[in-house]
Amino acid sequence: GLLCVQLFPVSRNSLLLWVFGIPFERALVFHRKIGGWIWLLTAAHGFGMWVAHYRYWLLGEYRGNGVYVNGAGHTRAARLAAERLVAWEIGWPHGPPLAGLISWIAMTLMAVTSLRWVRRNHWYVFTVTHSLYAVVFPLAWVHYPSLMIFMVIPLFLYLVDVFGRHATAFCSAT
């Protein structure tokens, strides 16, 4: 859900910013803060899933009354949990865990290159890595298809704004 909110403030010609009278510069502050929370919550989700799988493999199958069978040792449980998180298999309610992991890695690159020092001293690196949203969003949808419901409208409005800016720049250049 938060991932879709991330797109509203970055659209320079956003209808929402215009309706509420929010300056673009202030919206970018919100964009940075919400981006940090999204990264942190996504990292916590991934770590929590690894812990859940690790615990499952360590303890084994629960048979009730506090009885577990077929538990693995710590090393094997850690390996099996890691293997589960890099699998490209679809399990309810999520899609492939690997899609979520790749999406998070792309988010991490975006987060690291959006730090103030990188933005100020290496603007091109910052802008190029922020194009990774083209990787983050599709893989997030593959990982959790229900996100499509929440992302259709913000993504559509963002893409209309981007194409509008490029069309304006192209027309004014000719």
Side-chain angles (χ1 to χ4, degrees), residues 93-166:
H94 297 292
L98 183 58
L101 179 62
I102 295 169
S103 183
W104 178 76
I105 290 169
M107 278 190 228
T108 302
L109 289 171
M110 291 170 67
V112 168
T113 59
S114 67
L115 296 173
R116 170 175 263 132
W117 185 86
V118 178
R119 267 193 344 261
R120 302 267 188 230
N121 298 307
H122 303 283
W123 178 255
Y124 184 73
V125 172
F126 165 73
T127 57
V128 168
T129 55
H130 257 63
S131 298
L132 286 173
Y133 75 86
V135 172
V136 170
F137 284 95
L139 286 176
W141 289 335
V142 168
H143 177 64
Y144 196 69
S146 297
L147 281 178
M148 179 68 82
I149 297 167
F150 301 105
M151 293 181 152
V152 168
I153 293 173
L155 191 58
F156 173 76
L157 292 174
Y158 176 72
L159 291 175
V160 165
D161 177 61
V162 168
F163 287 127
R165 278 189 274 155
H166 287 301

Side-chain angles (χ1 to χ4, degrees), residues 37-49 104 107-108:
W37 278 106
I38 289 169
W39 182 88
L40 186 64
L41 291 172
T42 304
H45 165 72
F47 181 71
M49 293 305 293
W104 178 76
M107 278 190 228
T108 302

